[in-house]
Amino acid sequence: MSHLVIEQAHKAFGDLVVIDTLNLQVKQGQFLTLLGPSGCGKSTLLRCIAGLEELDSGSIMLANQDITHSKPQKRNIAMVFQHYALFPNMTVAQNIEFGLKIKKMPADRRAQKVQEMLRLVELSDFAKQKPSALSGGQKQRVALARGLIMEPSLLLLDEPLSALDAKIRKSLRSQIRDIQKELNLTTIFVTHDQEEALAMSDEVVLLNRGRIEQHTSPERLYNTPNSKFTAGFIGNYNMGAFVSLREYFQADTPLVIRPEAIQIDTEKGDIAAIITNRTLLGSVVRYQVKTAHNEILNVDVLNYGAVSQLSIDTPVYLTIPLSEVIRLDKNSVHDGNIIPAIDSGSQTDLQSTEQTAYVGQATTNDNSKEKQKIYD
């Protein structure tokens, strides 16, 4: 059942449309991420849900209650911002307790709930410290606890990790997700970081110029982008005409291929190429290669150590399984669908031992057509 329902939401600042006739449903207990580049409308949408901005038109329903025009304090929503917004003159415990004091909750009950929150965010030993004595990650946990202690119906997180260093970000994102699961709290998380979105979410909404480009699971978002924008924003897809694969597809069909789906070898393969650049990305080595048709492709392989890495200017051969090629609807902008890279008549050939890209049955059911390599 949908816990949050947004219908026909529209918001503009002057002539600039920030949210463009947007519809969204979020299930109870779901962790949903709003993902997109700067200016796509994700933070504005979050602020409209919280009541900090008002929609020009459309409606927002939370737990079957229309909150479209409700004041922020009447919405039972907690929001955690990027820059903590802690009171510097209060201790950690006092910051967490603040909302309960405003609600005039009895002191003994407040103290009990504060201790529960301190344990939940693992800050019991810092209860009497001031924010100035805390690290960035600890401050963000105080801000999170201050929101959670109010027992909100919905938790909004507006890029809460962006000011932290990489190691703390990874640790805190796991902690936030664990807390959200433990409380079964419906949560909307805003980020421009693809890795965070893929790692933390039940579902991801990718926004582009105030509209939903794709709304799906992290796995489908990464593996089956539905538009050029999605493929260009998520991961490091190779995207283009790919003359080497034009035996299979219409000339004007956009094709995208994940860099880790391409196999690279110095001795055998279907497409001749040469390495033009090499980038170490920790556990992955990314090779930039140029084919005989002057096409530039990125190829990702696991890093097995310096000895196994190929040098720039090394001639190589590429193999691209047809099952890994995504053919986009050329007219897809916001709600386009994936078109299978091959038709059902070619599935048998793709399940062969090598599963390499053969000319022939990818575009026809004529079994008499001879298989041959793309080119030597």
Side-chain angles (χ1 to χ4, degrees):
M1 180 178 179
S2 296
H3 186 62
L4 176 71
V5 179
I6 301 173
E7 294 185 339
Q8 298 295 301
H10 183 89
K11 178 68 178 178
F13 296 103
D15 294 332
L16 178 63
V17 177
V18 183
I19 301 174
D20 189 4
T21 318
L22 184 144
N23 296 288
L24 178 64
Q25 296 187 16
V26 185
K27 298 174 184 176
Q28 169 63 44
Q30 188 174 64
F31 192 107
L32 180 136
T33 294
L34 299 178
L35 175 67
S38 298
C40 71
K42 55 188 185 294
S43 289
T44 300
L45 178 58
L46 208 70
R47 291 176 63 84
C48 288
I49 296 171
L52 303 177
E53 297 282 355
E54 188 163 344
L55 292 174
D56 297 331
S57 61
S59 64
I60 303 173
M61 300 285 293
L62 178 62
N64 296 319
Q65 299 293 318
D66 189 343
I67 63 168
T68 308
H69 303 293
S70 299
K71 294 181 179 180
Q73 61 269 30
K74 299 293 185 181
R75 298 191 179 205
N76 194 24
I77 293 175
M79 187 167 182
V80 178
F81 299 91
Q82 176 181 342
H83 295 297
Y84 323 130
L86 302 180
F87 298 108
N89 59 320
M90 294 184 183
T91 65
V92 167
Q94 289 169 340
N95 266 281
I96 295 173
E97 181 189 30
F98 182 77
L100 299 182
K101 292 186 71 174
I102 297 298
K103 291 181 67 175
K104 301 186 184 304
M105 180 179 286
D108 57 344
R109 179 62 178 143
R110 292 202 311 264
Q112 179 184 348
K113 288 181 69 66
V114 167
Q115 290 304 313
E116 291 173 358
M117 282 298 111
L118 286 168
R119 284 194 294 270
L120 186 65
V121 298
E122 300 179 2
L123 288 174
S124 295
D125 295 338
F126 297 87
K128 297 181 180 180
Q129 297 287 341
K130 297 286 184 66
S132 58
L134 304 180
S135 68
Q138 290 168 336
K139 290 177 183 177
Q140 198 57 277
R141 279 185 278 162
V142 175
L144 178 62
R146 186 176 59 185
L148 294 176
I149 202 169
M150 304 303 293
E151 298 182 358
S153 178
L154 178 66
L155 176 64
L156 306 179
L157 303 172
D158 190 6
E159 302 201 55
L161 308 180
S162 59
L164 306 176
D165 63 54
K167 186 176 181 179
I168 294 176
R169 287 178 71 162
K170 289 184 178 181
S171 174
L172 189 53
R173 78 187 187 195
S174 297
Q175 191 171 21
I176 289 174
R177 188 65 164 115
D178 290 343
I179 291 171
Q180 182 268 336
K181 287 180 179 178
E182 181 178 339
L183 300 178
N184 192 34
L185 179 59
T186 308
T187 302
I188 301 179
F189 180 83
V190 163
T191 185
H192 60 268
D193 188 300
Q194 298 96 321
E195 182 180 325
E196 283 181 0
L198 297 175
M200 298 180 70
S201 313
D202 294 316
E203 292 187 359
V204 180
V205 172
L206 179 61
L207 293 173
N208 179 21
R209 297 181 180 180
R211 300 184 65 186
I212 295 177
E213 192 81 28
Q214 189 165 355
H215 178 184
T216 186
S217 67
E219 294 80 10
R220 285 190 58 82
L221 184 70
Y222 183 78
N223 291 313
T224 55
N226 69 349
S227 67
K228 289 183 178 180
F229 176 84
T230 304
F233 190 81
I234 296 295
N236 291 275
Y237 272 90
N238 296 293
M239 183 163 45
F242 301 130
V243 176
S244 308
L245 298 174
R246 277 305 162 197
E247 293 285 348
Y248 306 93
F249 310 104
Q250 298 174 2
D252 58 351
T253 303
L255 305 178
V256 294
I257 309 165
R258 288 181 292 112
E260 68 270 24
I262 302 174
Q263 302 162 23
I264 188 169
D265 196 281
T266 57
E267 297 180 356
K268 59 182 180 180
D270 302 322
I271 303 172
I274 189 167
I275 295 175
T276 58
N277 197 9
R278 182 184 70 191
T279 305
L280 177 62
L281 302 175
S283 60
V284 170
V285 178
R286 175 165 297 153
Y287 295 105
Q288 185 181 82
V289 302
K290 183 168 70 174
T291 71
H293 292 290
N294 290 320
E295 296 167 333
I296 302 298
L297 297 170
N298 288 322
V299 182
D300 286 357
V301 299
L302 289 176
N303 179 14
Y304 292 106
V307 176
S308 65
Q309 295 179 18
L310 302 174
S311 302
I312 295 175
D313 294 330
T314 299
V316 293
Y317 295 93
L318 310 178
T319 300
I320 304 176
L322 280 182
S323 58
E324 299 291 347
V325 180
I326 298 172
R327 179 162 62 110
L328 298 177
D329 180 350
K330 65 181 178 180
N331 297 316
S332 172
V333 178
H334 297 286
D335 300 307
N337 297 317
I338 292 295
I339 301 176
I342 54 173
D343 65 21
S344 58
S346 62
Q347 291 290 344
T348 302
D349 291 324
L350 284 176
Q351 293 169 358
S352 64
T353 302
E354 292 185 359
Q355 287 199 351
T356 52
Y358 287 107
V359 174
Q361 292 204 9
T363 55
T364 179
N365 291 328
D366 181 6
N367 291 325
S368 65
K369 196 166 186 177
E370 182 181 358
K371 295 178 180 177
Q372 53 186 297
K373 299 286 181 141
I374 293 176
Y375 65 85
D376 293 329

